[in-house]
Amino acid sequence: MATTDRTAAPALQEELLRRARARAPRPAARPGTAPAGPAPLSRAQRRMWLMDRLGQGGASYAVPFATRLRGPLDVDALATALASLVRRHEILRTRYGQRDGEPYQEVCAAPGTIDVPVVDAGVAGAPALLVAEARRPFDLSAGTLPRALVLRHGERDHTVLLTFHHISLDGPSLDTVAAELGALYADAAAPEAAPGAWRAEPPQYAEFARREQRAADRLDAGVHHWAGLLEGAAPPLLPGPVQPPADTEARPAGTHLTPLDPAVPEALRELGRRHRATVFTVALAAAFAALHRFTGQDDLVIGVAGTHRQGADMRGLVGLCVNTLPLRVDTSGDPRFSTLLERVRDALFDAQRYREAPFDLILERLGAAARGADGTALVRVTADVLGAPTVLELPGTVSEHVDVGVGEAKFDLSFGLVDTERPAGLVQFRRTALDEEAAAGLGTGYAALLAAVADDPGLRLSELPVTAPASAPVAVSPDRSGGHPAEVLLGAHPQVSQAAVVTAPDGRPYAFAVLPERIGPAPADLRAYLRDGLAPDLVPVAVTLLDALPRTADGAADTTRLPGLPAAPAPDGPHATAVRDGFAALLGRTPAPDDDFFALGGHSLIAVQLAERLRQALTLPLTGLDIMQARTPRAVTALLDGRAAERAAAAAARSARPRRARTGAVLVTGATGGVGAFVLRELAAQGRPVLALARPESAHLVAADGVEVIEGDLGDVDGLRKAVADADAVIHAACTFTRPETDVAAMEAMAEAWRRGPFVFVSSVDAYGHPADGTVAEEAAPGEPLSPYGRAKADCERLLLRAAGTGGRGGASAVRSPLVWGPHDRLRDQLRWGATGLLYQAVREGRPLALPRPGAQGHAWYGAAWVHAAALARAVVSCLDAPVHGVANAVSGHVAWPELAADLARLLGSDSAFGETDEVHPDLDHHWHYRADRLAQPLRARPGEDRHSVLTAMLTEQEATS
């Protein structure tokens, strides 16, 4: 009956949950309603989900929506309105998962309320608070419920921030959200008034995604068109910084905003009218002109946002309905700007005809040719026109937009025309991709260019004010950050036009140079030149002269076509074998060591799948982005070898390091599980230092201030002994659930290594088995039969209590818990598929279910004991200072099966019918109440820890209505 923190065998647990889900029947769709259950992702969502899985999501895909409101603000009405908005639009309460390698979306139950915290803050301190809130990450697997924050500057002066994830909405959606939220607020603030007539049911995004999937077979013509148009295209070469800025992590993006004369936007509109173009097309042409002048390149690709919003059935739809359109324009021939405008207009018109073709499908069709050396896609530069921002208008207040910059950029470079009462030219850039000084010059130049063409569109491109920076790249990869010192020095030679230095597999550098004239320095002269300016270990083994430097599609030196490099042996060892097998399994053929991932047919989703496969097989950190950047089996193997070496070095350093000077460190096993997560929070609240045992692939989940992660699991008994020996106290909350012999062996090793301080074991009421009495006292004798799981818990308790108080050991506490409830993914899964799974699934599917009748088989009551995870954590941590020296129960309450069924039906909106029977299903054959006296004080319920609140929190934050 007990709920357990199952962390030592996550793969097995996931398999059991998968099988349980597969066995559960799905309800038939009601006539006239959309199909229930998980839905596919739209193509736009899929791109966003992949960016998140690749590790490239971050704050750049947060959508902060902030408004300063002067006047009376009813925070309760705002919270009510926000909850109503989320109920109306399912996409705002949707979670994203993965099954059999494919992502899906699943609608969560509508929340009863949404928390709207209010913080007193002066106007000067508000920006930092807003940015910090906007940068807080979303967990797509848990759902994208919008977050709210109110800053109170005065009694009638507030700033309201709502933060959404971009996977949930786009620009037009934000307009809908603002309008509806204002109307819902008015209804909530004046409940006596009749609600507005606008409240028709809106279209739901999951149905849009299903329609898009059904129409997928009609996309081939568009994908074929784009693939032909973009064949041979390459991203522009931008002058990157010689060294990445030291503060890149804190400030990854930069922005330059240059004011324009107020007359400029209208002049650009008039220019557009004369050439049958919009102001957006004119601004896009200006971006092409600026990029041409900045890079010196003629064949350019700039991405723009297209939309799928067409027809009345899309009106009021909240969701992500955008697609990237990669416009390729030829700027050669030094045309007049008006001529370039017509070229851009025609390219944009052509793009709109094929706007339904998803950009990710185009990339898959183009393969390696559409990617840079780092695996990033063809579109690195974008352009847009930014109009007046959306504001939240609430009755009785005056609204003012508040800009919240999260400090990140989605692309290497973006141009923008700010078309408002205060017009400006905008340049945003990634600081690792573009030199700061060059970006500043480009920002000033772009604004000057807009003004110049507004005044005289007949100017030729060569006459426009943007100029190439002094550090303009000379046919080098855009991903370089200075390159090898020999390459930099060789490229600076006045008689060398191109240079590349490649480190061969033997670790030695080889140089290649192209001379602009047939007569010039000999290879020996160039090598002597390098010897004069470099340390001996940096001088290349040889310099080879070439007529042209072979390059990949993105401009990087193609090392596979450089002559004279020594052949590298194929990588060997377990990492190489796992990489080769992974490539073969997912790409359909065994690769050579230097085969390109994208040339073999790889794409973003396969990169994610390959990384997850290797991460689980090798227990080494690896992301899909790593795969896309490394690209070849040889490079991926080298990356894994390096990370394994780093781990070994870190382990050796830990072994050699003396014990920490600070005392009181608590070892926590199962820290990534449901119970363990709440234990970590309680320890952090008390300021206790923590050693958290975690598998390597899960270590990032528990990394935090005051937490030192120790890699390991219950199967590594030597590692367990070492971890226990380093700790001053132990909380053992991990359990395999399905392998009791592993649990007992782990406890035996830990009890043996335990030498000091208290030891707390999170056990289970299953250790009582089937007692004869209906009320079970703490430490009551067990009654047969005991399940293998319950018997293992009892055996672990005996091992622990036998060792307690001997050899300098402290006191021991075995805390037996029943069902554990709390807002955590593991605990939600246990509610759905564990001991209460029979009941939960019947309610979710609207099926009737017969519950045991009171008095059936001689028992007056049937139901379950439960404990709130936070209360259990308090009880467990309290045993560090006051061990119970034996067994204690941790119980928050007991609930009869009909009461729990009614709670679930209410929260899931189900009309399941429940009857009574004298036949008792094994899953419902539980009829014991457990006393919990020894830990009554820490178990005392706090606000929000009652049964109704915790079930509401579990179901409204993640549970699906499917």
Side-chain angles (χ1 to χ4, degrees), residues 288-297 300 449 461-469:
F288 271 106
L291 190 60
H292 163 76
R293 293 283 294 151
F294 188 64
T295 65
Q297 296 173 256
L300 297 171
L449 187 152
L461 299 192
S462 60
E463 300 172 318
L464 295 178
V466 176
T467 58

Side-chain angles (χ1 to χ4, degrees), residues 659-660 665-667 691 722-730 756:
R659 265 187 55 77
R660 296 165 309 281
V666 182
L667 172 67
L691 306 176
K722 179 68 170 62
V724 171
D726 282 346
D728 297 309
V730 179
R756 63 184 172 276

Side-chain angles (χ1 to χ4, degrees), residues 687-713:
R688 296 180 186 255
V690 173
L691 306 176
L693 187 76
R695 286 173 168 258
E697 62 271 25
S698 304
H700 65 285
L701 297 175
V702 295
D705 290 342
V707 177
E708 180 179 345
V709 178
I710 298 176
E711 294 179 358
D713 60 30

Side-chain angles (χ1 to χ4, degrees), residues 27 29 49 63 67 72 139 155 192 196 268 281 296 308 351 396 484 580 628 717 757 899 932:
W49 178 83
V63 182
T67 304
D139 179 0
E155 185 178 351
E192 68 282 354
L268 295 176
T281 309
H308 297 306
H484 191 283
R580 183 175 61 251
M628 295 171 66
V717 292
E899 294 176 308

Side-chain angles (χ1 to χ4, degrees), residues 825-881:
D825 287 349
R826 294 279 175 85
L827 303 180
R828 292 184 181 103
D829 272 339
Q830 289 164 6
L831 176 68
R832 296 172 73 183
W833 307 104
T836 52
L838 176 75
L839 187 60
Y840 177 88
Q841 295 302 325
V843 173
R844 183 183 68 87
E845 294 156 15
R847 291 188 282 108
L849 184 66
L851 301 174
R853 185 191 317 277
Q857 299 184 5
H859 302 295
W861 177 89
Y862 285 91
W866 65 277
V867 64
H868 194 290
L872 174 59
R874 290 196 302 273
V876 165
V877 173
S878 74
C879 293
L880 295 176
D881 297 323

Side-chain angles (χ1 to χ4, degrees), residues 13-23 99-100:
Q13 179 188 349
E14 289 302 318
E15 176 62 16
L16 291 173
L17 291 174
R18 187 192 68 75
R19 292 178 185 175
R21 294 183 184 108
R23 289 196 302 269
R99 185 173 298 142
D100 298 328

Side-chain angles (χ1 to χ4, degrees), residues 524-866:
D525 297 330
L526 291 175
R527 192 159 182 272
Y529 163 74
L530 294 174
R531 275 200 307 271
D532 289 341
L534 296 172
D537 60 323
L538 296 177
V539 177
V541 174
V543 177
T544 302
L545 296 181
L546 303 173
D547 292 332
L549 201 60
R551 300 214 172 261
T552 61
D554 71 325
D558 187 347
T559 58
T560 63
R561 294 190 288 146
L562 289 173
L565 289 175
D572 196 12
H575 296 160
T577 300
V579 170
R580 183 175 61 251
D581 292 348
F583 267 71
L586 293 172
L587 297 171
R589 51 178 166 159
T590 302
D594 297 304
D595 279 351
D596 186 278
F597 171 78
F598 295 107
L600 292 172
H603 50 73
S604 300
L605 180 57
I606 293 179
V608 169
Q609 294 169 343
L610 179 56
E612 290 179 350
R613 176 190 177 109
L614 294 173
R615 190 166 59 243
Q616 292 176 7
L618 302 174
T619 65
L620 287 168
L622 192 72
T623 67
L625 183 60
D626 290 331
I627 299 293
M628 295 171 66
Q629 290 179 334
R631 298 179 66 149
T632 68
R634 185 190 305 280
V636 174
T637 300
L639 183 64
L640 290 168
D641 288 343
R643 289 182 178 170
E646 290 173 2
R647 172 176 296 168
R654 283 197 301 269
S655 298
R657 191 170 60 223
R659 265 187 55 77
R660 296 165 309 281
R662 60 179 183 171
T663 59
V666 182
L667 172 67
V668 178
T669 69
T672 58
V675 174
F678 281 86
V679 168
L680 285 185
R681 290 181 203 170
E682 183 64 23
L683 291 169
Q686 296 186 17
R688 296 180 186 255
V690 173
L691 306 176
L693 187 76
R695 286 173 168 258
E697 62 271 25
S698 304
H700 65 285
L701 297 175
V702 295
D705 290 342
V707 177
E708 180 179 345
V709 178
I710 298 176
E711 294 179 358
D713 60 30
L714 296 189
D716 178 13
V717 292
D718 290 336
L720 281 174
R721 290 190 184 98
K722 179 68 170 62
V724 171
D726 282 346
D728 297 309
V730 179
I731 294 177
H732 181 28
C735 177
T736 66
F737 185 71
T738 55
R739 303 205 316 271
E741 69 283 356
T742 300
D743 294 332
V744 174
M747 176 58 86
E748 191 170 18
M750 295 175 73
E752 179 186 346
W754 176 31
R755 285 290 177 268
R756 63 184 172 276
F759 194 126
V760 187
F761 174 44
V762 181
S763 186
S764 166
V765 295
D766 278 20
Y768 289 115
H770 288 62
D773 294 335
T775 299
V776 183
E778 292 168 306
E779 291 196 298
E784 295 292 341
L786 265 72
S787 66
Y789 169 75
R791 193 172 301 280
K793 287 292 188 184
D795 290 344
C796 288
E797 291 176 358
R798 279 192 290 272
L799 287 168
L800 175 64
L801 296 175
R802 189 183 304 144
T806 65
R809 299 177 178 94
S813 307
V815 180
R816 292 182 178 179
S817 71
L819 296 174
V820 182
W821 288 343
H824 188 280
D825 287 349
R826 294 279 175 85
L827 303 180
R828 292 184 181 103
D829 272 339
Q830 289 164 6
L831 176 68
R832 296 172 73 183
W833 307 104
T836 52
L838 176 75
L839 187 60
Y840 177 88
Q841 295 302 325
V843 173
R844 183 183 68 87
E845 294 156 15
R847 291 188 282 108
L849 184 66
L851 301 174
R853 185 191 317 277
Q857 299 184 5
H859 302 295
W861 177 89
Y862 285 91
W866 65 277

